[in-house]
Amino acid sequence: YNEYKSYLRMLDTDVDMEIEKKDGEENMDTQEEDEPNKSSGSLVWTLDLSEFNDTTFSPPLYVRNLPWRIMCIPRSSNSAGSERKPTLGFFLQCNPVDVQGANNSWSCYARATLSLLHRESSELDFHRRINHFFFAKENDWGYSNFILMEDLKDKSKGFIKDNKVTLKIEVTADAPHGVHWDSKKYTGYVGLKNQGATCYMNSVLQTLYFTSQLRKAVYKMPTEGDDVNKSVALALQRVFYELQTSDCAVATKKLTKSFGWEALDSFMQHDVQEFCRVLLDHMENKMKGTCVEGTIPKLLEGKVCSYISCMNVDYESKRSESFFDIQLNIKGKKTVIESFKDYITPEILDGDNKYDAGHYGLQEAKKGTKFQKFPPVLYLQLMRFQYDPLMDMNVKINDRYEFPETLDLTEFIEDSNNNNEQELFSLFAVLVHSGDNHGGHYVAYISPELNGKWFKFDDDVVSKSNRLEAIDNNFGGSEEESLNVRHCTNAYMLVYIKQSQKDEVLVKITDDDIPHNLKAFFEDEKKEEALRRKEKQEAHLYMNVEAVTDSAFHGYQGNDLLNWDNARPMVYRIKKEAFVRDLEEMISANTGYAIDGIRLWIFQSRANSTTRPAPIEGENDKTIWEIAEKDTPLRIFLETVSNEIPTEPLPPYKKDNQIIIFLKYFNVLEGTMYYLQHVFLSRNSCIGDVFAVARKKIPLEANVPLALFEEVHAGRTDELTPTKLLCEMEEVFDGDIWVIQRTDNVGKFTHSNVDDYFRDLDNRVTVTFCDKNNPSDPGFNVNLNQKMTYNEVAEIVAECLQTESNLIQFFKPQSHRDIAGYAIKSHFEGTLKDLFMSYGQRAKTPKKLFYLKLNIAIQELESKDHFRCTWLNKHREETVLSLYVSRNVTIAELLEEAKKQIELSAEGSGKLRLLEVYSYRIHRVFSNEVSYHTIQPSMAQQTTCYRVEEIPVEETMLGATDFLIPVAHFHQTIFQCFNHPFLFKVTEGETLQSVKTRMMDRFKDVSEKEFEKYKFTLITHGRMNTLSDDFVFNSTDFITNIDKDSKPVNEAHLDVFLHSRPWLGLEHALKPPKRSRYNYIEKPVKIHNQ
C-alpha cells in the first residue's frame, strides 16, 4: 500500500509539504470557526458508495464568504494501452450563485488539500494538493482520477467501511473579488479601486497612507483656494481622508485626473519605484515654505558616501550624497544582507581603468560606497527587472530571495564600531508583483502597527494575512523550491521602519488630527456628489424646459425667430408628470412675475421645416411630457407683462378671434434685420394695421411708404396686401412672422428687398480656411455665398490674408483625414456649392478648405511641374523641398530654384548637385546640362529619393587623376544599408590609410575610437572584399573602360548608373537609440499639474 501511495504522489504535480509554524507567529484564523469570512477552514464528509452513481456534492464550507464543496464524480482511467478502470473524481468546487453581490466577474485564488481519510491511522491518509484561480467558467478544480475505485473499495487499504469513505478538504483562500466583501468590517481598513491598471499606484498609496507621520503632514499642506481638478496635494488629501473615514473602497480617479493624466494612462502600468519617487518629489515641493516643510526628507532621506581611495599613495576623493531609496541587486544573491554587502563592495580600478589622482598620476584605487545614515523609513527596491543582452529585452528574475522581518544594518554604517546605536529595522510593508516583464498585478502586505499582524491590500479588497503569506511566500523561487506559491509572485519593494523611531513614524492619527476646514470641505463635496448621484438616478423622471422671452429675438439675422444653438434660454428642470400649472408656478417663482402676468407658447415644428410659437392653452389636462410629445427639451416662448406696469395681468388671449404675429423690420440701407415685437390681431382687422406699430417702434414718418412680407420658410417670402383683412387671407396661423420694409430707397444695395435678403441667407455658408503647412492651425471663418465663383472666393480670402488673390492656392480636405488633399485648379468654372458637391461634402457638414500662400502667381504655378526632393545640409540634416519648374528647364536651372529655399554655408563652395538615391545607395549623379524632363520625377519618385546637396570645396576642382567613388554604410550584409550615402574624392594610387584620414573629417559626430571599428569593403557585383590599410585605389576598380573612353576620369561619375558599378562599403553597427529601462508597455511617469 505504501508503494502504491508513493506512486500516486509522484503523479501529483504538487508535493505534500509540511510547513512548521515559527515561534511567536500568530495564527491568521483569529475568527471563530463558524465565521464565514475566515481565511481557511476544513470540511469532513462521508460519501456513501452504494448511492454514488452521478455527480455528488457535500454541504458547503464557508471560507471568505464563499461556499466551498466537495464534488465527487464517477470517472474512468484513460491510460493508453490498458483497460479503462473506474476511478473516483475528487474536486473542490466554488459556486457563489447565492452569495450577496456575486456576478459573473467573481474570482478567488485558493490553495487546498484534498484528502481521503484512513479509518485507523491519520498517518495513512492519502492527500493531494491543488492551487487554482477560481472564477465563473472554472469554478471547480481537482483530480479526475484521484484513486482507482478497486483500491478505494479494497478493505485491506483501510479507506472503506460499510461501503462508505470519508473525504476531507482543507481550504485556504484569498479574499475574493466580484462579490460582497466588507473590508472595513473584517479588517478595519478599506481598499482602493482599480481604474484598469492602477494596482501599482494603489499599493504605493496604501504604504504612504499607513506611514502616519507622512499622512499627518499631508493633511497639513495648505490647499485652500487650489484648483479642485488640478491640485495634486488636495487630491491626495482626499484619498487619505477617505481611506481613514470611508466604509467602502476609495476611488482614485480624481487623483489621476489631478496628475493631468488621460484615460489611457490609467490602463498603462508604471514602475512602482518611479511613481513613488515622482509623487514624493511633488509633495516635497508642495510642502516647501509651510509648517510641514522637510517632513519627507526627515522620514526618507539617508546619506551615502561615494569614495575613490588610492591603494599605493595617500590620496582619497569623497562625496556625500542623499538617497531616498536603495536599489538592491538580487541576481545571484540569496538574502538582503548579501545584496548590501555587494552594494558596498569596492570596485578595483587598475590596468587601463586606473584612477587619475592629479599630481600622483594614474593610480590603482578602490571605488566604492559607504552608508553614513539610514532614514527612519527605508525603501528597498529589489531589482527583479533587468536587461538580458542575450534575449535583447528586459526579463523578470524570479529567483528565491529572502528578507527578514527584523533587519540589522549596523555593520553597513561607516564607523559603526564607534557608534553604539544599533541600526535595527522592522519590516513594515512588502509590495508584491505577480506576472512577468510584460505586465502583471501588484498587491501590498502591510503591518500597520508593526505588531506582527499583517493585512493584504489587493486593490479594493483588504483581508487579514499572516507572516507566511506576507513574507515567506514572497521570497520567490522556482516551482521545485516553492510549490505552495505561484512561481511569478515575489516581492518587488520592501519598506522597513527603524525600531528606535517606530512610535514617531507610526504616530496614532484620529479624526481630530484632520484640519477642520479640510474635513468640512470633503464632507460638503460628498453631499454634493450624493445629490448629483440622486439626480442622475432620477434623471429619467425629469425633463428640461427651455424658455425665452422677446429679448432673445433681438439681433438675430436668420430665418425663424432665433437660433437655439446660440440662444441662452432659461432652463427649468421639471418632472415629466407635472402639469402646465406646475411649470407656470416654477417660472413665476424664478422670474418674479405673477402667474397671471405670464403666458406660455410652445415652439412647434411646421411641415415646411420652420419653428413657430403656438398656444399652449387648452392643454392644461396634459402632462408636460405629453405636451412635449415625449421629446426633450420642451422649448417655449414666455410672454410677460410690460415692465412698465408689471403688476397688471396679461390681457386674455381669445384663441377663436385672435392671432399672434411676430414683426420684423428689414433696413434696406444697412442690409440688416431687426426684431420689433409681437402683436395680437383680431381676424376682422386690416393687415396693414401693423404699419402703425412699426412707425412707432422704429420710428418712421407717416408718409414713408412701407411693404409687408410673410416669412414662409428659408429662402422664400410672400408679399402681403396691406389693405386685406386678416380673415381674407388663405392661410394665417399663430406664430407667423411678418417683415416690414421701406419702399422709397433709391440706389444700389446689397439686397434690394426682403426676398433678396432671405435668398442670400439661404445660400450663405461659413467656410473655415486653414494653412496647409501648419497642421495645428485652427484657421479662420469666412461667410460666403454658395453661388460665388472661384475668383470671388479668392478675392475675399486674399483680403483676409492681406495678399493678392492670384498668390493663393486652395486645397480640398481629404475625406478620411483632416489634412489637405488635392489642389483646386484656379480655372474651376463652377460655384462654391458645386465645389463642395464635387468633393463629396454633404450639405450639413462643416465646410473647410486649405490654402497655401505662394511666391508666384497661381496660373504660373499650375503651368509648372511640382518636383519634390530633399536638401542635405552640412550637418547631415534633411529638409524636404518643393520646387515648381517648367518641364523644359535643365538641372542647373532646377538647382538655381532650389537655392531660393535653402541656406548655404559661408565657407562652402556655393555649388549644388542633384543625386538619385535608392535604398540608401547613390544610383545616379546628374550633370547640370541634363534636361529636367528626362528624369521623369512623376514616375520615379514613387520609389526614388532625389537629393540636393552642396558640392564640397575639394570636389569642385578635380585633377586629371582624381575621381569620385560612391560610398554607403551597411551592417552585416550589403542589403542592409542605412544612413546617408555620399561621394568621396580619391586620387589614383592613394592608399586606404590616406583615405581614412581624410574621411574622418566627414564624421564629426563619430569618435576616433568608434571610427576605428569601421570595416572598409570593396563591393563588386554583390561580392565583398575587405580592404587593408595598404590597399591602393585605382580608377579601373571603380570605372568601366567604356565610361573611361567616353569621358575624363574626373567626370566619370556623371550621368551613369552608379548602382551597377563597384562601390566602397563602410561596415559598422547601426547604433541603436539608448534603451529605456522601462517595459515597452510603460512610459515615464509624469505629473503635469501642480
Side-chain angles (χ1 to χ4, degrees):
Y1 166 73
N2 288 333
E3 290 179 357
Y4 177 77
K5 182 176 179 181
S6 299
Y7 168 72
L8 286 179
R9 288 197 178 199
M10 289 176 62
L11 295 179
D12 191 0
T13 58
D14 291 320
V15 179
D16 189 15
M17 188 169 59
E18 292 293 330
I19 302 174
E20 296 181 359
K21 265 190 176 297
K22 297 191 176 181
D23 294 339
E25 177 182 340
E26 293 190 13
N27 194 331
M28 67 182 292
D29 284 332
T30 58
Q31 307 101 332
E32 296 295 329
E33 284 297 321
D34 58 351
E35 287 191 12
N37 65 298
K38 57 183 179 290
S39 62
S40 63
S42 61
L43 171 70
V44 178
W45 178 59
T46 300
L47 174 65
D48 189 344
L49 295 181
S50 62
E51 300 176 356
F52 181 49
N53 300 315
D54 201 354
T55 302
T56 306
F57 294 93
S58 72
L61 162 69
Y62 281 90
V63 173
R64 298 295 195 187
N65 281 350
L66 298 179
W68 303 87
R69 292 179 173 87
I70 296 175
M71 182 174 75
C72 292
I73 305 176
R75 292 289 180 91
S76 59
S77 64
N78 51 2
S79 302
S82 60
E83 182 184 355
R84 298 176 68 86
K85 296 182 179 181
T87 63
L88 171 67
F90 188 177
F91 300 87
L92 173 66
Q93 190 220 45
C94 179
N95 189 17
V97 289
D98 298 325
V99 176
Q100 180 184 359
N103 53 51
N104 288 334
S105 64
W106 72 271
S107 62
C108 182
Y109 180 76
R111 301 163 294 284
T113 301
L114 312 183
S115 303
L116 174 63
L117 302 186
H118 196 271
R119 291 291 178 179
E120 297 177 0
S121 173
S122 60
E123 295 182 357
L124 299 178
D125 293 345
F126 178 56
H127 310 284
R128 282 193 168 188
R129 289 183 179 274
I130 62 169
N131 298 295
H132 186 58
F133 187 76
F134 290 83
F135 58 100
K137 291 186 178 180
E138 282 188 13
N139 63 1
D140 58 70
W141 200 253
Y143 298 91
S144 295
N145 303 309
F146 186 79
I147 190 172
L148 292 173
M149 292 298 290
E150 61 184 39
D151 293 317
L152 185 66
K153 294 180 179 179
D154 187 346
K155 294 184 179 179
S156 65
K157 299 290 196 281
F159 294 125
I160 192 168
K161 183 179 181 180
D162 299 332
N163 210 26
K164 296 179 181 179
V165 295
T166 303
L167 304 175
K168 181 181 180 181
I169 54 172
E170 297 171 87
V171 182
T172 300
D174 292 347
H177 291 263
V179 297
H180 178 72
W181 177 262
D182 194 338
S183 298
K184 189 81 168 186
K185 176 181 177 181
Y186 302 143
T187 67
Y189 307 113
V190 296
L192 293 165
K193 295 178 182 178
N194 193 325
Q195 296 183 44
T198 55
C199 53
Y200 71 96
M201 180 180 71
N202 292 346
S203 60
V204 171
L205 291 175
Q206 291 282 16
T207 305
L208 297 177
Y209 168 78
F210 283 107
T211 310
S212 309
Q213 190 177 355
L214 175 63
R215 190 199 329 169
K216 201 169 186 178
V218 167
Y219 284 147
K220 293 181 179 180
M221 288 189 300
T223 53
E224 291 185 18
D226 283 9
D227 188 322
V228 177
N229 296 318
K230 294 183 179 181
S231 174
V232 178
L234 181 62
L236 187 62
Q237 287 174 333
R238 181 187 293 108
V239 171
F240 282 3
Y241 174 77
E242 292 184 1
L243 283 174
Q244 185 167 331
T245 61
S246 179
D247 292 328
C248 55
V250 175
T252 57
K253 284 188 177 180
K254 290 183 179 179
L255 178 63
T256 54
K257 184 179 179 181
S258 73
F259 293 165
W261 289 3
E262 298 176 352
L264 181 61
D265 291 291
S266 298
F267 289 88
M268 183 172 291
Q269 278 200 351
H270 294 290
D271 182 75
V272 167
Q273 184 260 352
E274 185 196 11
F275 172 77
C276 184
R277 183 71 256 138
V278 170
L279 181 60
L280 289 174
D281 283 346
H282 198 89
M283 290 300 100
E284 186 179 355
N285 290 332
K286 183 69 176 179
M287 291 178 182
K288 286 181 179 178
T290 70
C291 61
V292 289
E293 181 177 3
T295 300
I296 290 177
K298 180 182 177 183
L299 285 171
L300 304 175
E301 185 179 32
K303 294 290 183 181
V304 67
C305 174
S306 299
Y307 68 90
I308 299 178
S309 178
C310 293
M311 299 169 64
N312 300 320
V313 296
D314 185 17
Y315 184 86
E316 186 176 42
S317 172
K318 289 184 177 182
R319 185 176 71 254
S320 182
E321 298 173 329
S322 298
F323 69 85
F324 286 82
D325 52 55
I326 301 174
Q327 295 183 343
L328 295 180
N329 179 27
I330 68 167
K331 194 170 185 179
K333 309 294 182 292
K334 295 182 178 179
T335 65
V336 169
I337 296 298
E338 283 190 28
S339 294
F340 266 96
K341 289 179 178 179
D342 176 68
Y343 197 96
I344 64 172
T345 300
E347 174 190 357
I348 304 299
L349 305 179
D350 58 5
D352 294 337
N353 198 29
K354 286 182 179 179
Y355 175 63
D356 186 357
H359 65 275
Y360 289 109
L362 297 177
Q363 294 288 331
E364 293 182 349
K366 294 181 179 179
K367 179 183 178 182
T369 301
K370 296 178 181 178
F371 289 103
Q372 297 175 317
K373 172 196 164 187
F374 287 114
V377 181
L378 180 62
Y379 277 75
L380 302 179
Q381 185 197 4
L382 310 184
M383 298 173 64
R384 288 203 175 270
F385 297 99
Q386 295 187 15
Y387 176 69
D388 187 338
L390 296 178
M391 300 181 67
D392 191 29
M393 63 182 292
N394 283 342
V395 295
K396 184 181 179 185
I397 300 171
N398 291 302
D399 298 348
R400 183 177 179 84
Y401 183 82
E402 297 182 6
F403 46 91
E405 193 166 11
T406 300
L407 179 64
D408 187 354
L409 297 177
T410 307
E411 64 179 289
F412 301 105
I413 285 289
E414 188 178 17
D415 298 329
S416 59
N417 295 330
N418 300 326
N419 188 354
N420 296 325
E421 182 182 355
Q422 282 191 303
E423 297 289 335
L424 294 177
F425 290 83
S426 296
L427 186 60
F428 171 65
V430 182
L431 276 62
V432 177
H433 179 263
S434 298
D436 57 17
N437 179 54
H438 302 300
H441 183 60
Y442 288 93
V443 299
Y445 290 91
I446 301 175
S447 178
E449 299 179 6
L450 289 182
N451 57 358
K453 293 183 179 180
W454 288 89
F455 297 87
K456 180 181 179 181
F457 294 83
D458 185 0
D459 288 335
D460 56 324
V461 174
V462 185
S463 57
K464 290 185 177 180
S465 186
N466 60 11
R467 185 189 187 282
L468 175 67
E469 286 189 342
I471 302 177
D472 296 31
N473 285 358
N474 294 313
F475 289 157
S478 65
E479 299 289 354
E480 291 75 17
E481 293 172 327
S482 181
L483 292 171
N484 203 38
V485 189
R486 286 172 284 185
H487 169 56
C488 60
T489 299
N490 35 56
Y492 179 70
M493 182 178 281
L494 308 174
V495 184
Y496 281 90
I497 292 180
K498 189 176 287 189
Q499 290 184 357
S500 60
Q501 296 177 266
K502 165 190 168 184
D503 295 337
E504 181 183 351
V505 174
L506 302 182
V507 60
K508 295 288 184 182
I509 295 183
T510 65
D511 289 352
D512 294 334
D513 293 310
I514 304 173
H516 176 73
N517 62 324
L518 198 64
K519 192 187 303 184
F521 176 81
F522 290 140
E523 289 302 319
D524 290 344
E525 195 177 57
K526 282 184 179 180
K527 291 176 182 178
E528 291 176 6
E529 289 178 354
L531 184 61
R532 282 196 294 269
R533 281 195 298 270
K534 182 181 179 182
E535 289 178 353
K536 190 174 182 179
Q537 292 170 355
E538 298 177 351
H540 65 287
L541 302 175
Y542 289 81
M543 64 177 290
N544 284 346
V545 176
E546 296 180 355
V548 293
T549 60
D550 274 305
S551 60
F553 306 151
H554 291 286
Y556 178 61
Q557 300 294 306
N559 296 108
D560 292 333
L561 292 172
L562 79 166
N563 182 349
W564 282 98
D565 293 334
N566 299 327
R568 295 182 179 179
M570 297 173 283
V571 180
Y572 298 96
R573 190 82 173 151
I574 191 169
K575 280 192 173 182
K576 294 178 179 178
E577 299 304 315
F579 294 94
V580 173
R581 188 66 177 180
D582 300 320
L583 178 58
E584 288 175 340
E585 290 175 354
M586 182 181 291
I587 294 176
S588 173
N590 178 261
T591 59
Y593 291 105
I595 291 182
D596 58 1
I598 60 174
R599 186 158 37 231
L600 308 183
W601 302 78
I602 182 173
F603 277 93
Q604 286 185 340
S605 296
R606 295 184 177 180
N608 60 3
S609 301
T610 60
T611 304
R612 302 285 192 267
I616 203 171
E617 292 184 354
E619 309 273 356
N620 293 336
D621 57 335
K622 291 184 179 180
T623 64
I624 298 296
W625 186 236
E626 291 171 335
I627 292 173
E629 297 180 349
K630 298 183 179 181
D631 190 19
T632 185
L634 173 65
R635 290 170 169 168
I636 61 172
F637 164 59
L638 176 62
E639 181 189 358
T640 63
V641 295
S642 172
N643 289 330
E644 297 176 358
I645 44 174
T647 56
E648 292 288 328
L650 280 173
Y653 166 66
K654 302 172 182 177
K655 186 175 181 180
D656 296 332
N657 189 43
Q658 284 184 316
I659 295 290
I660 185 172
I661 302 294
F662 292 85
L663 298 179
K664 295 181 181 180
Y665 172 71
F666 176 62
N667 189 322
V668 179
L669 296 175
E670 299 175 357
T672 307
M673 189 71 67
Y674 293 93
Y675 174 74
L676 298 179
Q677 67 179 68
H678 66 273
V679 296
F680 290 94
L681 299 178
S682 67
R683 295 188 177 275
N684 294 321
S685 62
C686 181
I687 294 174
D689 291 349
V690 297
F691 288 159
V693 176
R695 295 180 193 280
K696 182 178 179 181
K697 196 79 176 177
I698 297 175
L700 293 172
E701 296 81 4
N703 59 348
V704 174
L706 300 174
L708 187 62
F709 298 83
E710 180 188 358
E711 183 183 323
V712 181
H713 59 74
R716 177 189 165 186
T717 57
D718 292 343
E719 188 170 359
L720 303 177
T721 305
T723 56
K724 264 191 176 183
L725 297 177
L726 193 64
C727 58
E728 296 175 349
M729 292 183 64
E730 294 182 4
E731 290 186 341
V732 60
F733 302 101
D734 281 307
D736 281 354
I737 302 173
W738 292 356
V739 185
I740 302 168
Q741 78 159 70
R742 297 177 62 158
T743 58
D744 62 343
N745 298 293
V746 178
K748 186 177 181 181
F749 305 103
T750 304
H751 308 103
S752 59
N753 56 41
V754 173
D755 192 55
D756 286 346
Y757 174 83
F758 279 113
R759 287 183 186 277
D760 177 67
L761 190 68
D762 189 44
N763 285 303
R764 198 173 296 174
V765 62
T766 300
V767 182
T768 302
F769 290 88
C770 299
D771 188 348
K772 176 180 179 289
N773 290 337
N774 183 5
S776 60
D777 180 28
F780 58 91
N781 295 332
V782 181
N783 290 322
L784 302 172
N785 191 303
Q786 294 188 84
K787 293 185 177 181
M788 285 182 174
T789 63
Y790 177 95
N791 290 334
E792 290 173 328
V793 173
E795 289 286 348
I796 295 174
V797 176
E799 186 176 348
C800 296
L801 296 174
Q802 297 181 347
T803 185
E804 300 293 331
S805 61
N806 63 345
L807 295 180
I808 303 175
Q809 186 177 25
F810 296 107
F811 299 82
K812 81 174 189 70
Q814 293 188 14
S815 58
H816 59 288
R817 296 170 65 194
D818 191 22
I819 59 175
Y822 292 113
I824 301 169
K825 298 296 182 182
S826 62
H827 52 74
F828 182 80
E829 296 181 352
T831 63
L832 186 61
K833 184 177 182 180
D834 298 329
L835 180 67
F836 287 126
M837 290 181 64
S838 66
Y839 294 146
Q841 289 204 6
R842 291 172 292 183
K844 293 186 178 180
T845 57
K847 303 297 187 289
K848 177 183 282 190
L849 292 175
F850 292 86
Y851 69 87
L852 180 66
K853 296 174 75 172
L854 306 173
N855 296 321
I856 60 174
I858 180 66
Q859 294 78 10
E860 182 183 353
L861 176 70
E862 290 176 346
S863 67
K864 294 185 176 183
D865 273 2
H866 179 205
F867 181 73
R868 191 180 180 89
C869 58
T870 60
W871 158 245
L872 188 69
N873 64 20
K874 66 176 182 178
H875 303 296
R876 317 299 290 172
E877 298 169 341
E878 283 188 338
T879 306
V880 177
L881 301 180
S882 292
L883 307 178
Y884 294 90
V885 294
S886 302
R887 291 189 60 80
N888 58 354
V889 300
T890 62
I891 297 300
E893 292 171 306
L894 184 144
L895 293 175
E896 286 298 320
E897 189 66 29
K899 282 185 178 181
K900 299 176 182 179
Q901 299 187 28
I902 61 178
E903 185 176 346
L904 297 174
S905 58
E907 64 276 10
S909 65
K911 297 181 179 180
L912 303 180
R913 63 185 171 202
L914 180 67
L915 293 78
E916 180 182 331
V917 179
Y918 181 74
S919 296
Y920 300 100
R921 284 183 53 201
I922 297 174
H923 274 216
R924 191 176 179 189
V925 183
F926 298 97
S927 63
N928 289 345
E929 295 76 22
V930 170
S931 177
Y932 158 75
H933 76 271
T934 60
I935 68 176
Q936 299 179 341
S938 59
M939 295 293 292
Q941 284 193 97
Q942 297 177 17
T943 56
T944 301
C945 170
Y946 290 96
R947 191 174 86 194
V948 175
E949 64 181 20
E950 187 173 12
I951 303 174
V953 175
E954 67 271 12
E955 295 180 15
T956 58
M957 296 177 291
L958 298 176
T961 58
D962 295 333
F963 57 96
L964 299 183
I965 59 172
V967 186
H969 305 261
F970 72 94
H971 178 54
Q972 294 181 343
T973 168
I974 59 174
F975 302 106
Q976 290 186 4
C977 294
F978 61 92
N979 215 327
H980 301 296
F982 58 95
L983 297 172
F984 195 77
K985 169 192 169 183
V986 296
T987 306
E988 290 277 5
E990 187 176 6
T991 64
L992 177 60
Q993 182 61 48
S994 172
V995 169
K996 280 184 177 181
T997 303
R998 291 191 298 110
M999 195 176 288
M1000 267 291 295
D1001 295 336
R1002 285 281 182 106
F1003 303 105
K1004 298 185 184 299
D1005 57 338
V1006 179
S1007 66
E1008 185 176 348
K1009 188 175 182 179
E1010 188 176 346
F1011 186 74
E1012 289 176 356
K1013 298 178 183 178
Y1014 284 23
K1015 292 181 180 179
F1016 284 70
T1017 310
L1018 178 63
I1019 293 92
T1020 307
H1021 301 300
R1023 295 191 300 273
M1024 298 169 52
N1025 180 26
T1026 303
L1027 306 179
S1028 60
D1029 286 351
D1030 57 358
F1031 172 80
V1032 177
F1033 284 87
N1034 194 308
S1035 60
T1036 56
D1037 293 329
F1038 294 91
I1039 305 172
T1040 64
N1041 291 329
I1042 297 176
D1043 291 335
K1044 277 189 174 184
D1045 294 339
S1046 62
K1047 60 183 72 174
V1049 172
N1050 55 15
E1051 295 182 6
H1053 61 283
L1054 297 173
D1055 301 324
V1056 296
F1057 293 104
L1058 296 178
H1059 64 277
S1060 60
R1061 280 189 182 182
W1063 53 284
L1064 183 65
L1066 306 183
E1067 182 181 4
H1068 59 97
L1070 173 60
K1071 193 173 182 181
K1074 189 173 288 187
R1075 182 179 298 276
S1076 169
R1077 72 179 179 87
Y1078 302 111
N1079 190 306
Y1080 75 93
I1081 62 169
E1082 298 176 6
K1083 64 180 183 180
V1085 180
K1086 289 185 179 180
I1087 295 179
H1088 304 284
N1089 299 323
Q1090 296 300 319

